[in-house]
Amino acid sequence: MQSTYEERIERARRALEKVPAYGPDVDINQFLLEAAAEEDSYIEPENLSETEKRRALRAGIIASEEGRSGTFFQRDTKVLCARPRQEGLEVMSTTGALKKHEWLTDIMWTAVQPDADKFTAAVALHRTHGYFIRTLPGVKTTCPVQACLYIGKKDLVQRVHNVIIAEPGSELHIITGCTTSEDVESAMHIGISEFFVRKGAKVTFTMVHTWGKEVHVRPRTGVIVEEGGVYINNYICLREVDSLQMYPSVFLTGPGARARMNSILYGLGHSRFDVGGKIVFQAPETSGEIISRVIADDRSEIVSRGLLVSETAGVKGHLECQGLLLSDDARIYAVPELDARKKDVELSHEAAVGKLAEDQILYLMSRGLTANEATSLLVRGFLNVDIEGLPPDLEAETKRLLEMEYQGLL
Amino acid sequence: MTEPILSIEDLRVSVGGKRILNGVNLSVRDGEVVCLFGPNGAGKSTLLYTILGYPGYTIESGRILFKGVDVSTLSIDERVRMGLGIAFQHAPRLRGVKLIDLIHLAAGDGLTDEEIEEAAARLRMSSFLHRDVNYGFSGGEIKRSEILQLIAARSDFLLLDEPDSGVDVENVVLLGREINQLLRGRSGLIITHVGYILNFIRADRAVVLYEGKVACEGDPYGILKDIKDKGYKACLECDRCSPPTRKE
C-alpha cells in the first residue's frame, strides 16, 4: 500500500544524518539555513537587478521572455517571478502549487525518496520553494519555459523542490539555469526535481549550471515516464564548482517509453564532479540512452557514472562516456554499468578516456591555426554532442548556450 | 629567371634518430611546379613534412628558405600563414569539427560564401560541408576535401602529397582539373607515384629523390616514362642522372 505524504516526510527525519553513497560529504550546518520567505508578490522579469539578469542570461534565462512560454525566478529563498505565458500551462512555486492542488501530495516524494540521504531529508523537512511546472492534457508548449534558481547570499543553502508534470499527450520544454551572484563564491544548492511524464507526453529539460568556485551542489532527480512518453535531459556545466554530485534516475514504467540523458562537463580548478545517470527499464519496448562528454583539466576530478537496469524483456539501452584528460593532475573515473535481469534485452556501453590527438592538432596547424586555436577547436568539437529530439530552435539555442559557456572559458 | 620561392640547401633530416634526408638541394622558382618522384623510403614525404615544420623531423643541418626567409625554426602555422599549403595523403578524422568551419577558417575573408559553395559543388563536396571532417569519408572524398581546403586557403606554394593515389579514374579527372586550376600562377611540389595527375596539370620539372638525395632532375614526362619503363634503378643509371649518386 502506498504511503501517505506525512509518512514519507516522517521517513526523512530518520535520514538527516545519512551520508550519500557518492561524492564528498558536506556539512549542511556550515551554511545559512534560512527558512523560506513568505509566498511572494511577483515582479516582472525585466525588473530583476542587472546582476541577476546578466548572470541568468548566461544560464539561458531571458528577462524580456522573448521566445519563452513562461518564467520562474527564485533568488535565495524567495520567488521573484512565476508565470506562464501560454494557456494550459502552469508555472508557480511548489509552495503555491501545494495550496492550489490538493492531489500534489499524492505524488510528491514518490519519484525521489525523501530518505535517500541527508540532502533529500533536508529538503523534505525544510523546503525553500522550488518550481512547479505543468502542462495540461494535450497542451504543447511551442517555446520553452525558463526557470532560474539563483543564489545571491553568501554561504546560503538553497533547498528547493521542483515538480514537473506533463499531463497525457502534452509537450513541455524547459530551460533551466542555476547560478550564483558574481560575489557569491561559497554556498550550497540542494535541488529535488521530480518529473512525471504521463502517457504519450514529452518533456525536454535543458539545464545549465554556472556556480561559484566554492559552491556545493546536490541535485536529486527522479523521473517517471509512462506509456509512450519521452524524456530528454541535457545537462551542461563548464564552470568551476567546489563539488557537484548527482545521480538522476529515470524509470520507464510504461510500454514504449523513451529517455535520453546527455551531459557535458568541463572540470576546471579543483572542481569535483560525481555525475551519473540511471535508467530503469520497467516495461517492454522501452529504450534509453545515457551519453556523456567530460573534460578534466587543472586539478579537477570527474567521476562519470552510468547505469542501465532492465527489469523486463524487450528493452534497448545504450551508455556512452567519452572523456578527455587535459592535465596530469586531473582525473576521470568512468563507471559504466549494465544490469540485465531478463533475457531478450539489448544493453550496451562504451567508455573511452584519452588525450587530444597530436595528429589532429598538427593537421589544424597546417591549416593555419595556432596550437592553442587548434586545441580549442578540438575541445569544442569534442563537446559538440548531437542533441536529438529537441525542437530545432531549442537545439540551436542549446548549442548557442554551450558555445557561450565555452567562450567564457577562453 | 624569377627568384626561387623555395630553396632547400644541403638539408639533412633524421626521424626517430634515423637519417632520412642526406643533403637535399632543391629550389623551386616562383610559379614553377615541380614533381617529386622516388621509390618508397626515398624521403619524399619526409621532405614535405620538414618543409611544413612537422615535429619529429629533426633538421641536423641545412636550411629551408621560403620567400627568402629561413623558416626552419618557425611553427607549422607560421609557415602556413607565410603562404605554404598542403594536401595530405592521409588526414585524420576530427570529431565535432565541421568541414565548413575548417574551410571558413582557412579562407578568412578571402572567399565569399558563394565562392566556397561553388568550389564545393565543383568538387562534389556540397553534402559534406556540414559533416565532421573525414568522418565516413571515402578515400576519394578525403582527397577532394583536402583540395577544397587548399582552394579556400589560396596558399602561394602548394605541397601535394600523392593527390592521385588510391583514387578512381573519375576522381582523378575531377581532382586533376581542380589542381590544375589551383596551380595557375602558383608554385608547387607534388609527390606522385603513379603520375596520373600529370595528365591534367602542367609540371615544369621533376626531381627524383633516392636514398635521401636528389638523384636526377629534368622533364617530368620523360622521367616518368623512364621510371615506368625501366624502374627506378635503371632510371638512375641513365645519362641525365647527376654524378653524386653513382660516385658514392
Side-chain angles (χ1 to χ4, degrees):
Chain A
M1 194 182 132
Q2 204 184 346
S3 59
T4 65
Y5 181 70
E6 289 71 24
E7 283 166 352
R8 291 195 292 275
I9 297 297
E10 194 52 36
R11 273 188 1 232
R13 287 188 202 288
R14 299 194 291 271
L16 275 169
E17 303 296 323
K18 189 174 169 187
V19 176
Y22 301 126
D25 191 19
V26 178
D27 179 9
I28 300 171
N29 294 311
Q30 73 184 53
F31 296 96
L32 293 173
L33 297 158
E34 285 188 9
E38 285 299 301
E39 191 58 17
D40 309 85
S41 54
Y42 299 142
I43 62 170
E44 292 288 315
E46 287 283 13
N47 293 333
L48 293 168
S49 77
E50 288 307 313
T51 306
E52 286 160 355
K53 280 196 272 192
R54 189 171 59 247
R55 292 291 288 185
L57 184 66
R58 260 184 34 186
I61 310 302
I62 299 165
S64 70
E65 298 186 277
E66 195 185 333
R68 296 291 185 260
S69 61
T71 298
F72 179 90
F73 191 100
Q74 175 170 344
R75 180 182 65 209
D76 301 332
T77 61
K78 186 172 180 173
V79 178
L80 298 184
C81 319
R83 65 174 180 196
R85 299 178 78 221
Q86 184 183 335
E87 285 291 314
L89 174 69
E90 295 179 355
V91 178
M92 64 188 89
S93 73
T94 308
T95 316
L98 278 165
K99 286 178 192 155
K100 182 177 164 119
H101 300 302
E102 274 183 21
W103 50 261
L104 188 52
T105 50
D106 295 341
I107 59 170
M108 265 176 90
W109 293 113
T110 59
V112 173
Q113 296 309 308
D115 57 349
D117 58 41
K118 64 186 193 181
F119 300 114
T120 55
V123 178
L125 299 170
H126 306 283
R127 183 185 64 247
T128 54
H129 302 304
Y131 52 78
F132 173 88
I133 301 173
R134 176 180 177 226
T135 40
L136 297 184
V139 172
K140 295 191 190 317
T141 56
T142 44
C143 299
V145 177
Q146 56 181 359
C148 182
L149 299 163
Y150 180 91
I151 300 180
K153 188 178 274 186
K154 190 172 177 295
D155 293 330
L156 184 86
V157 58
Q158 195 176 44
R159 291 162 290 177
V160 297
H161 192 151
N162 310 312
V163 180
I164 297 95
I165 304 170
E167 296 291 2
S170 69
E171 193 169 315
L172 175 59
H173 305 286
I174 300 173
I175 282 191
T176 172
C178 297
T179 185
T180 44
S181 167
E182 279 136 352
D183 52 2
V184 171
E185 290 218 322
S186 163
M188 178 157 201
H189 169 90
I190 309 171
I192 309 299
S193 297
E194 294 189 277
F195 290 80
F196 300 92
V197 184
R198 302 302 190 199
K199 190 174 173 180
K202 177 177 181 177
V203 171
T204 76
F205 186 74
T206 300
M207 180 153 74
V208 180
H209 274 177
T210 59
W211 301 104
K213 285 180 183 174
E214 282 160 36
V215 177
H216 295 277
V217 186
R218 295 295 181 273
R220 296 291 181 260
T221 301
V223 184
I224 291 168
V225 188
E226 296 179 2
E227 183 179 346
V230 177
Y231 174 76
I232 295 169
N233 181 86
N234 299 303
Y235 177 67
I236 298 167
C237 183
L238 309 186
R239 297 300 170 128
E240 198 172 343
V241 63
D242 189 320
S243 76
L244 189 152
Q245 186 270 318
M246 63 180 188
Y247 204 135
S249 301
V250 180
F251 301 89
L252 302 175
T253 62
R258 290 188 290 133
R260 181 173 164 127
M261 298 158 90
N262 301 307
S263 50
I264 299 173
L265 299 176
Y266 202 124
L268 286 165
H270 62 261
S271 301
R272 289 170 292 171
F273 288 101
D274 190 319
V275 174
K278 176 167 90 169
I279 299 178
V280 184
F281 303 84
Q282 296 177 321
E285 290 161 39
T286 51
S287 62
E289 281 176 290
I290 299 176
I291 311 284
S292 69
R293 295 271 188 282
V294 304
I295 296 183
D297 202 348
D298 300 334
R299 298 171 314 288
S300 65
E301 179 174 304
I302 301 180
V303 182
S304 180
R305 301 178 195 278
L307 172 60
L308 302 175
V309 184
S310 66
E311 294 184 350
T312 183
V315 307
K316 194 173 173 179
H318 182 65
L319 187 60
E320 184 186 314
C321 172
Q322 305 281 346
L324 194 56
L325 202 59
L326 298 182
S327 157
D328 282 337
D329 297 320
R331 179 183 181 215
I332 294 174
Y333 182 44
V335 193
E337 293 179 285
L338 306 178
D339 182 356
R341 301 178 189 179
K342 287 281 185 291
K343 60 181 187 177
D344 187 26
V345 296
E346 203 177 310
L347 300 183
S348 61
H349 77 68
E350 54 181 307
V353 179
K355 59 171 189 169
L356 282 179
E358 194 192 13
D359 64 331
Q360 297 179 13
I361 293 174
L362 295 174
Y363 181 77
L364 289 172
M365 288 175 75
S366 75
R367 299 291 178 242
L369 277 69
T370 64
N372 279 342
E373 288 166 345
T375 302
S376 171
L377 188 65
L378 290 171
V379 168
R380 184 179 303 164
F382 176 83
L383 295 174
N384 193 1
V385 187
D386 283 328
I387 302 164
E388 290 163 23
L390 289 186
D393 285 355
L394 189 53
E395 183 181 350
E397 178 154 3
T398 306
K399 296 229 164 183
R400 188 184 59 76
L401 277 173
L402 182 63
E403 180 63 24
M404 196 165 72
E405 276 296 280
Y406 185 70
Q407 285 294 334
L409 289 181
L410 302 178
Chain B
M1 173 104 41
T2 42
E3 285 297 303
I5 185 169
L6 179 75
S7 287
I8 290 162
E9 299 174 0
D10 196 28
L11 190 67
R12 288 161 207 272
V13 172
S14 62
V15 179
K18 189 184 176 211
R19 177 74 70 78
I20 306 290
L21 299 184
N22 290 305
V24 171
N25 286 289
L26 171 68
S27 71
V28 180
R29 294 188 309 278
D30 199 4
E32 191 183 26
V33 175
V34 175
C35 272
L36 203 53
F37 293 129
N40 291 329
K44 302 182 300 298
S45 291
T46 296
L47 182 59
L48 247 58
Y49 283 119
T50 308
I51 293 170
L52 198 61
Y54 258 56
Y57 294 82
T58 311
I59 298 178
E60 292 181 355
S61 65
R63 297 202 300 170
I64 302 167
L65 297 173
F66 181 59
K67 295 182 177 176
V69 176
D70 187 350
V71 296
S72 313
T73 58
L74 299 183
S75 64
I76 299 173
D77 53 302
E78 286 169 325
R79 298 181 204 206
V80 168
R81 285 197 294 272
M82 278 181 71
L84 283 176
I86 186 165
F88 289 100
Q89 186 188 358
H90 304 291
R93 299 188 303 172
L94 307 179
R95 177 164 54 201
V97 180
K98 307 290 178 211
L99 180 58
I100 186 73
D101 295 333
L102 218 47
I103 288 170
H104 279 300
L105 284 167
D109 298 329
L111 286 187
T112 63
D113 288 352
E114 290 73 32
E115 286 171 318
I116 290 170
E117 278 162 28
E118 274 172 31
R122 287 201 310 273
L123 278 160
R124 288 197 249 126
M125 291 302 287
S126 301
S127 60
F128 293 81
L129 289 176
H130 294 277
R131 283 172 55 175
D132 288 1
V133 176
N134 297 334
Y135 261 86
F137 287 26
S138 71
E141 285 152 3
I142 290 177
K143 302 276 185 200
R144 274 147 49 198
S145 154
E146 290 292 299
I147 297 304
L148 181 58
Q149 292 179 60
L150 273 187
I151 291 172
R154 305 173 319 287
S155 316
D156 302 324
F157 194 104
L158 308 176
L159 301 162
L160 307 179
D161 192 358
E162 299 196 34
D164 50 5
S165 72
V167 174
D168 65 34
V169 178
E170 212 174 313
N171 269 305
V172 167
V173 176
L174 187 60
L175 284 162
R177 205 172 56 206
E178 286 301 318
I179 292 172
N180 185 42
Q181 182 68 28
L182 188 58
L183 284 169
R184 276 191 194 156
R186 295 193 167 93
S187 323
L189 199 51
I190 304 173
I191 298 180
T192 174
H193 274 293
V194 288
Y196 296 149
I197 202 74
L198 291 178
N199 295 323
F200 302 95
I201 63 167
R202 59 146 187 105
D204 301 299
R205 195 156 49 101
V207 166
V208 180
L209 216 55
Y210 192 75
E211 293 180 349
K213 280 190 168 187
V214 173
C216 178
E217 61 180 285
D219 168 55
Y221 303 91
I223 291 182
L224 180 66
K225 187 172 184 308
D226 280 358
I227 295 168
K228 280 187 172 171
D229 291 349
K230 298 180 264 181
Y232 274 107
K233 198 163 181 297
C235 165
L236 293 169
E237 284 163 1
C238 83
D239 299 338
R240 267 195 310 263
C241 280
S242 53
T245 311
R246 278 177 278 169
K247 275 184 185 170
E248 276 180 337

Coordinates of all heavy atoms in Angstrom, one line a residue, chain A residues 322 358-360 362-370 377-378 381-382 384, chain B residues 54-55 76-77 80-81 86 88 91-96 102 105 146 149:
Chain A
Q322 N 32.5 9.5 -23.0 CA 33.8 9.8 -23.6 C 34.5 10.9 -22.8 O 33.9 11.9 -22.4 CB 33.5 10.5 -25.0 CG 32.7 9.6 -26.0 CD 33.5 8.5 -26.6 OE1 34.8 8.5 -26.6 NE2 32.9 7.6 -27.2
E358 N 47.6 14.3 -31.2 CA 48.6 15.2 -31.7 C 48.4 15.4 -33.2 O 48.5 16.5 -33.8 CB 50.0 14.8 -31.4 CG 51.0 15.9 -31.7 CD 52.4 15.4 -31.6 OE1 52.7 14.2 -31.7 OE2 53.3 16.3 -31.6
D359 N 48.1 14.3 -33.9 CA 47.9 14.4 -35.4 C 46.8 15.3 -35.8 O 46.9 16.0 -36.8 CB 47.8 13.0 -36.0 CG 46.5 12.3 -35.6 OD1 46.0 12.6 -34.5 OD2 46.0 11.5 -36.4
Q360 N 45.8 15.4 -34.9 CA 44.7 16.3 -35.2 C 45.1 17.8 -35.0 O 44.7 18.7 -35.7 CB 43.5 16.0 -34.3 CG 42.9 14.6 -34.6 CD 41.7 14.3 -33.7 OE1 41.2 15.1 -33.0 NE2 41.4 13.0 -33.7
L362 N 48.2 18.9 -35.2 CA 49.1 19.3 -36.3 C 48.4 19.5 -37.6 O 48.7 20.4 -38.4 CB 50.2 18.2 -36.5 CG 51.1 18.0 -35.3 CD1 52.0 16.8 -35.5 CD2 51.9 19.2 -35.0
Y363 N 47.3 18.7 -37.8 CA 46.5 18.9 -39.1 C 45.9 20.3 -39.1 O 46.0 21.0 -40.1 CB 45.5 17.8 -39.1 CG 44.6 17.8 -40.3 CD1 45.0 17.4 -41.5 CD2 43.3 18.3 -40.2 CE1 44.2 17.4 -42.7 CE2 42.5 18.4 -41.3 CZ 42.9 17.9 -42.5 OH 42.1 17.9 -43.7
L364 N 45.4 20.7 -38.0 CA 44.7 22.0 -37.9 C 45.8 23.1 -38.0 O 45.5 24.2 -38.6 CB 43.9 22.2 -36.6 CG 42.6 21.3 -36.6 CD1 42.0 21.4 -35.2 CD2 41.7 21.8 -37.7
M365 N 47.0 22.9 -37.4 CA 48.0 23.9 -37.6 C 48.4 24.0 -39.0 O 48.8 25.1 -39.5 CB 49.2 23.5 -36.7 CG 48.9 23.7 -35.2 SD 50.3 23.1 -34.2 CE 51.5 24.5 -34.4
S366 N 48.4 22.9 -39.7 CA 48.7 23.0 -41.2 C 47.7 23.7 -42.0 O 47.8 24.0 -43.2 CB 49.0 21.6 -41.7 OG 47.7 21.0 -41.9
R367 N 46.6 24.1 -41.3 CA 45.5 24.9 -41.9 C 45.7 26.4 -41.4 O 44.8 27.2 -41.6 CB 44.1 24.4 -41.6 CG 43.9 23.0 -42.2 CD 43.9 23.0 -43.7 NE 43.7 21.6 -44.2 CZ 44.6 21.0 -45.0 NH1 45.7 21.6 -45.3 NH2 44.4 19.8 -45.4
G368 N 46.7 26.6 -40.7 CA 47.0 28.0 -40.2 C 46.6 28.3 -38.8 O 46.7 29.5 -38.4
L369 N 46.0 27.4 -38.1 CA 45.6 27.6 -36.7 C 46.8 27.5 -35.8 O 47.7 26.6 -36.0 CB 44.5 26.6 -36.3 CG 43.1 26.9 -36.6 CD1 42.9 26.8 -38.1 CD2 42.1 26.0 -35.9
T370 N 46.9 28.3 -34.8 CA 47.9 28.2 -33.8 C 47.6 26.9 -33.0 O 46.5 26.4 -33.0 CB 48.0 29.4 -32.8 OG1 46.8 29.4 -32.1 CG2 48.2 30.7 -33.6
L377 N 39.5 24.4 -30.8 CA 38.6 23.9 -31.8 C 38.3 22.4 -31.6 O 37.1 21.9 -31.7 CB 39.1 24.1 -33.2 CG 38.2 23.8 -34.4 CD1 37.0 24.8 -34.4 CD2 38.9 23.8 -35.7
L378 N 39.3 21.6 -31.2 CA 39.1 20.2 -31.0 C 38.3 19.9 -29.7 O 37.4 19.0 -29.7 CB 40.4 19.5 -30.9 CG 41.2 19.4 -32.3 CD1 42.6 18.9 -32.1 CD2 40.4 18.5 -33.3
G381 N 34.8 20.7 -30.4 CA 34.3 19.6 -31.2 C 33.9 18.4 -30.4 O 32.9 17.8 -30.6
F382 N 34.8 18.2 -29.4 CA 34.6 17.0 -28.5 C 33.3 17.2 -27.7 O 32.5 16.3 -27.5 CB 35.7 16.9 -27.6 CG 35.6 15.8 -26.5 CD1 35.9 14.5 -26.8 CD2 35.1 16.1 -25.3 CE1 35.8 13.5 -25.9 CE2 35.0 15.2 -24.3 CZ 35.3 13.9 -24.6
N384 N 30.7 18.9 -28.6 CA 29.6 19.1 -29.5 C 28.8 17.8 -29.8 O 28.9 17.2 -30.8 CB 30.2 19.7 -30.8 CG 29.1 20.2 -31.7 OD1 27.9 20.3 -31.4 ND2 29.5 20.7 -32.9
Chain B
Y54 N 56.8 19.9 -39.4 CA 56.2 18.9 -38.5 C 57.2 18.5 -37.5 O 58.4 18.3 -37.7 CB 55.8 17.6 -39.3 CG 54.3 17.6 -39.5 CD1 53.6 18.7 -40.1 CD2 53.5 16.5 -39.0 CE1 52.3 18.7 -40.3 CE2 52.1 16.5 -39.2 CZ 51.5 17.6 -39.8 OH 50.2 17.6 -40.0
P55 N 56.8 18.4 -36.2 CA 57.7 17.9 -35.2 C 58.1 16.5 -35.4 O 57.3 15.7 -36.0 CB 56.9 18.0 -33.9 CG 55.4 18.1 -34.3 CD 55.4 18.6 -35.7
I76 N 54.5 25.3 -37.6 CA 53.7 25.0 -38.8 C 52.8 26.1 -39.2 O 52.8 26.5 -40.4 CB 52.8 23.7 -38.5 CG1 53.7 22.5 -38.2 CG2 52.0 23.4 -39.8 CD1 52.9 21.3 -37.8
D77 N 52.0 26.6 -38.2 CA 51.0 27.6 -38.6 C 51.7 28.9 -39.1 O 51.2 29.6 -39.9 CB 50.1 27.9 -37.4 CG 50.8 28.2 -36.1 OD1 51.7 27.4 -35.7 OD2 50.6 29.3 -35.6
V80 N 52.5 28.3 -42.6 CA 51.3 28.3 -43.4 C 50.8 29.7 -43.6 O 50.4 30.1 -44.7 CB 50.2 27.4 -42.7 CG1 48.8 27.6 -43.4 CG2 50.6 26.0 -42.8
R81 N 50.9 30.5 -42.6 CA 50.5 31.9 -42.8 C 51.4 32.7 -43.7 O 51.0 33.7 -44.3 CB 50.3 32.6 -41.4 CG 49.1 32.2 -40.7 CD 48.7 33.1 -39.5 NE 49.7 33.1 -38.5 CZ 49.7 32.2 -37.5 NH1 48.7 31.3 -37.4 NH2 50.6 32.2 -36.6
I86 N 49.2 22.6 -47.7 CA 49.4 21.2 -48.0 C 48.1 20.4 -48.2 O 47.1 20.7 -47.5 CB 50.3 20.5 -46.9 CG1 50.6 19.1 -47.3 CG2 49.5 20.6 -45.5 CD1 51.7 18.5 -46.4
F88 N 47.2 16.6 -47.7 CA 47.8 15.4 -47.1 C 47.4 14.2 -47.9 O 46.3 14.1 -48.4 CB 47.4 15.2 -45.6 CG 48.0 16.2 -44.7 CD1 47.3 17.3 -44.3 CD2 49.3 16.1 -44.3 CE1 47.9 18.3 -43.4 CE2 49.9 17.0 -43.4 CZ 49.2 18.1 -43.0
A91 N 44.6 12.0 -43.9 CA 44.2 13.1 -43.0 C 43.4 12.5 -41.9 O 42.6 11.5 -42.0 CB 43.3 14.1 -43.8
P92 N 43.5 13.0 -40.7 CA 42.8 12.5 -39.5 C 41.3 12.9 -39.5 O 40.9 13.8 -40.2 CB 43.5 13.1 -38.3 CG 44.1 14.4 -38.8 CD 44.4 14.2 -40.3
R93 N 40.6 12.1 -38.7 CA 39.1 12.5 -38.6 C 39.0 13.5 -37.4 O 39.7 13.3 -36.4 CB 38.3 11.2 -38.2 CG 38.4 10.2 -39.3 CD 37.4 9.0 -39.1 NE 37.7 8.4 -37.8 CZ 36.9 7.4 -37.3 NH1 35.8 7.1 -37.9 NH2 37.2 6.9 -36.1
L94 N 38.2 14.4 -37.5 CA 38.0 15.4 -36.5 C 36.6 15.4 -36.0 O 35.7 15.9 -36.6 CB 38.4 16.8 -37.0 CG 39.7 17.0 -37.7 CD1 39.9 18.5 -38.1 CD2 40.9 16.6 -36.7
R95 N 36.4 14.9 -34.8 CA 35.0 14.8 -34.3 C 34.5 16.1 -33.9 O 35.2 16.9 -33.2 CB 35.0 13.8 -33.1 CG 33.6 13.8 -32.5 CD 33.3 12.7 -31.5 NE 34.3 12.6 -30.5 CZ 34.5 11.5 -29.8 NH1 33.9 10.4 -30.1 NH2 35.4 11.5 -28.8
G96 N 33.3 16.4 -34.3 CA 32.7 17.7 -33.9 C 33.1 18.9 -34.6 O 32.7 20.0 -34.4
L102 N 36.2 24.5 -41.0 CA 37.6 24.5 -41.3 C 37.9 25.3 -42.6 O 38.9 26.0 -42.7 CB 38.0 23.0 -41.6 CG 39.4 22.6 -41.1 CD1 39.6 23.0 -39.7 CD2 39.5 21.1 -41.2
L105 N 37.8 28.9 -41.7 CA 39.0 29.3 -41.0 C 40.1 29.5 -42.0 O 40.9 30.4 -41.9 CB 39.4 28.3 -40.0 CG 38.6 28.3 -38.7 CD1 38.8 27.0 -37.9 CD2 38.9 29.5 -37.9
E146 N 40.6 17.7 -49.1 CA 42.0 18.4 -48.9 C 42.1 19.5 -50.0 O 42.6 20.6 -49.7 CB 43.1 17.3 -49.1 CG 43.2 16.3 -48.0 CD 43.6 17.0 -46.7 OE1 44.8 17.5 -46.6 OE2 42.9 17.0 -45.7
Q149 N 40.0 22.5 -49.2 CA 40.6 23.4 -48.2 C 41.7 24.2 -48.7 O 41.9 25.4 -48.3 CB 41.1 22.5 -47.0 CG 39.9 21.8 -46.3 CD 40.4 21.0 -45.1 OE1 41.1 21.5 -44.2 NE2 40.1 19.7 -45.2

